[in-house]
Amino acid sequence: MSGLRANDERFHYSDGSHKWILPDPDYDQATWDEQLRQHLEQHQRHERPRRRLQRRSI
């Protein structure tokens, strides 16, 4: 996962995991779901591709 950016705190717990539940019971569920979906897409766009390690034969 990429690093946290400004204002990303509302989508993350202190351990970096994502908040899947509403931040406030009065908050609109559909709005939260859309904001979280967009946030997760930002993670995917900014994630660096992982390199595969290759074993060297001796």
Side-chain angles (χ1 to χ4, degrees):
M1 173 170 52
S2 61
L4 292 177
R5 294 179 299 272
N7 299 320
D8 277 359
E9 306 86 28
R10 65 186 178 150
F11 297 111
H12 293 266
Y13 291 107
S14 61
D15 67 355
S17 62
H18 284 97
K19 295 181 180 179
W20 297 100
I21 60 171
L22 291 171
D24 181 332
D26 295 329
Y27 205 82
D28 181 58
Q29 180 71 52
T31 301
W32 176 254
D33 291 344
E34 179 61 19
Q35 289 174 341
L36 184 59
R37 184 191 65 76
Q38 289 177 14
H39 172 75
L40 293 171
E41 283 181 0
Q42 286 178 348
H43 276 302
Q44 291 175 343
R45 281 195 302 265
H46 294 101
E47 189 174 274
R48 293 182 182 163
R50 294 187 177 113
R51 291 181 52 173
R52 290 186 134 185
L53 296 176
Q54 295 180 352
R55 292 182 184 226
R56 297 176 83 182
S57 57
I58 299 176

